[in-house]
Amino acid sequence: MQLPSQKMSLKFPKYHKTLDKMKISHKTLKVNGIAIILIMLFAFLTGNELNGQTIAPRSEIKPLKIGQAIPDELWKLPLKVVNDPSGKDEITLEHYKGKLILLDFWGTYCTSCIAGFPKMKKIQNDNSNRLKILAISSENKEKIDKFFNSEVGKAYKYINSVYENTTFQMYFPHRTIPHTIWISPEGKYVIPTNTHEITQENIDAIYNNKDAKMLTKLDVDRNRALLLSDNFYLNNNLKLGFYSLFFQGYYPGYPSGSNFKRTTNGKTFGRQMTNFKLNAIVQALATQLFEEKNEQLTQNRFILNTTNPYLSDPKVQISDQLLNDQYYSYELIVPESKADSLYTYMLADLNRYLDVTLSLRKQKTNCLVLVRTSKQDKIKSEGDPSGREFSEEQGKLIMKDEPIVRLISLLNETSLSQVPIIDETGYTGNIDLTLNGIDNMEELRKSLAKYDLAIKPTTRDLLMFVITDKK
């Protein structure tokens, strides 16, 4: 797309050296839109002054190696920050020279990163005179502000974070987050680690010039099958057929997350879950099996007949304090032609690996059903913008232009849902409603009655996910 040509007056006081070389006046330029971009690009690529500081050309930035000194331009690089303890909007690393610096790469979408924040706070407070933990994000200020102003993020406003920064990624490249870079008080790149290695013992070891017992974070390619040798070359003539791997214990280099392998038409033929709690792996499987049956999985659809401590609570909880043996990694790949049966294979696979039996079956179950008590439609949406407000603590739920299945899902998350709550209203349109007392059954019944809705106890043959110890 061609930029529109127009005359304008621009001042470039910070780029006068570059402009002098180009024999262009640095005071006032009358150029069209294309020329503006070319001038800025030239200055960017050749490396020039930014706020009085000479920045290395991006094309010349090379990843630092362990043991190398941090270059001067990185110490003096202006960094945009939020939540700075002294109230600054911009800082440099130079301010923390002489301290142990931990660069904690994170993102607002990274639950593992956020779960580690309380630990970071304690470590920082316990070592305030000799340590600086600085969070690093490439996301823009709008996303960062939105997170720290959200209900979840408000609790973490003690996190001093850089935003809109990609330069650090060039000096310390990595594929996954969380990712922590250790910079010694002497200004040298010590090691890249996972946040689990951030301990008082390791901090003390570095300050006492002792060997810190830390594992280097392995930056592995998640697009390859787990632990598959790089020597195993895959091309159009050689394809991975069935591949399955399951092991217990934390594996450095992989994040706590999922990865999918999909065909060109979007079908999933491979699922990878790394550094997960075992119940998270099982829940991921159960969710997919329920979806294949056009059912919605809720926590009260689990039947737990097991003493396995890692499966006794089906709720997924990410915690930085987990013991090593509470982490599991699992991958299953099937031929693309078998993609529709991936999760059926996974069910059989996990039943072979685990000391429990996982099964999906219908059985008569006590439950609550939501029904309409009249033919009068009091819940029809007026077409307001879609949105919802949900707070079990306040005992109130507001829904606007949402499907009724969303209401059922939310009710199943409340303290009232000791048994499954299912929809038998037959209502297909979107709804508007406001409910009080969602933490109290009697109050909830009164709120529902205003919309000619009721919740009634009964029994139904429901699809359940059963976990049973092997004999």
Side-chain angles (χ1 to χ4, degrees), residues 74 116 137 139 144 165 252 268 288 354 419 424 464:
L74 195 54
S137 175
E139 294 177 284
I144 296 295
N165 187 284
T268 302
Q288 295 298 327
L354 299 176
V419 297
E424 291 189 356
M464 306 292 285

Side-chain angles (χ1 to χ4, degrees), residues 292-318:
E292 289 177 359
K293 301 287 187 182
N294 295 316
E295 296 259 10
Q296 185 181 41
L297 177 70
T298 55
Q299 297 301 335
N300 43 37
R301 292 290 189 102
F302 283 92
I303 297 178
L304 303 176
N305 299 321
T306 177
T307 57
N308 185 313
Y310 302 142
L311 290 172
S312 58
D313 178 8
K315 294 181 181 179
V316 179
Q317 297 176 353
I318 300 174

Side-chain angles (χ1 to χ4, degrees), residues 231-383:
N231 295 322
F232 191 85
Y233 179 69
L234 296 174
N235 56 29
N236 291 332
N237 299 318
L238 183 62
K239 296 187 177 183
L240 200 61
F242 287 92
Y243 182 90
S244 177
L245 181 71
F246 182 86
F247 61 88
Q248 184 178 10
Y250 180 78
Y251 191 80
Y254 286 107
S256 295
S258 285
N259 197 32
F260 299 84
K261 289 179 173 59
R262 293 189 171 94
T263 64
T264 54
N265 61 356
K267 288 187 177 181
T268 302
F269 69 96
R271 182 73 184 265
Q272 181 187 100
M273 290 172 275
T274 53
N275 294 328
F276 262 39
K277 287 183 70 175
L278 184 57
N279 54 25
I281 294 175
V282 170
Q283 179 156 310
L285 167 64
T287 298
Q288 295 298 327
L289 291 174
F290 265 66
E291 285 185 3
E292 289 177 359
K293 301 287 187 182
N294 295 316
E295 296 259 10
Q296 185 181 41
L297 177 70
T298 55
Q299 297 301 335
N300 43 37
R301 292 290 189 102
F302 283 92
I303 297 178
L304 303 176
N305 299 321
T306 177
T307 57
N308 185 313
Y310 302 142
L311 290 172
S312 58
D313 178 8
K315 294 181 181 179
V316 179
Q317 297 176 353
I318 300 174
S319 171
D320 195 60
Q321 303 300 321
L322 295 177
L323 296 175
N324 182 62
D325 64 355
Q326 288 183 280
Y327 286 99
Y328 291 78
S329 292
Y330 172 61
E331 180 165 33
L332 174 64
I333 300 171
V334 301
E336 292 187 17
S337 61
K338 304 284 187 181
D340 289 339
S341 301
L342 173 67
Y343 293 102
T344 301
Y345 281 112
M346 187 179 291
L347 180 64
D349 217 20
L350 290 178
N351 276 330
R352 181 169 60 252
Y353 289 139
L354 299 176
D355 60 355
V356 296
T357 299
L358 311 176
S359 60
L360 193 70
R361 65 171 182 256
K362 279 196 171 185
Q363 65 181 56
K364 192 170 291 296
T365 306
N366 292 329
C367 61
L368 297 170
V369 295
L370 181 69
V371 297
R372 298 176 68 183
T373 58
S374 78
K375 293 183 179 181
Q376 188 175 357
D377 191 348
K378 296 183 179 181
I379 56 176
K380 183 178 180 180
S381 174
E382 296 179 358

Side-chain angles (χ1 to χ4, degrees), residues 82-116:
V82 295
N83 304 332
D84 183 71
S86 58
K88 294 179 181 178
D89 295 324
E90 188 174 284
I91 62 170
T92 65
L93 278 186
E94 193 171 33
H95 181 73
Y96 307 109
K97 260 189 174 181
K99 291 187 175 184
L100 171 61
I101 300 173
L102 302 184
L103 303 179
D104 178 31
F105 289 86
W106 77 291
T108 58
Y109 52 87
C110 174
T111 54
S112 298
C113 303
I114 296 166

Side-chain angles (χ1 to χ4, degrees), residues 162-190:
V162 173
Y163 63 91
E164 292 178 4
N165 187 284
T166 56
T167 304
F168 278 115
Q169 171 70 25
M170 301 179 74
Y171 282 103
F172 308 105
H174 54 276
R175 290 190 180 97
T176 61
I177 54 176
H179 183 82
T180 303
I181 297 297
W182 295 60
I183 299 174
S184 73
E186 293 75 33
K188 292 185 178 181
Y189 176 21
V190 179

Side-chain angles (χ1 to χ4, degrees), residues 395-407:
K396 188 174 185 178
L397 169 64
I398 298 174
M399 296 188 69
K400 292 182 180 179
D401 198 30
E402 294 275 10
I404 203 162
V405 67
R406 183 67 57 81
L407 171 63

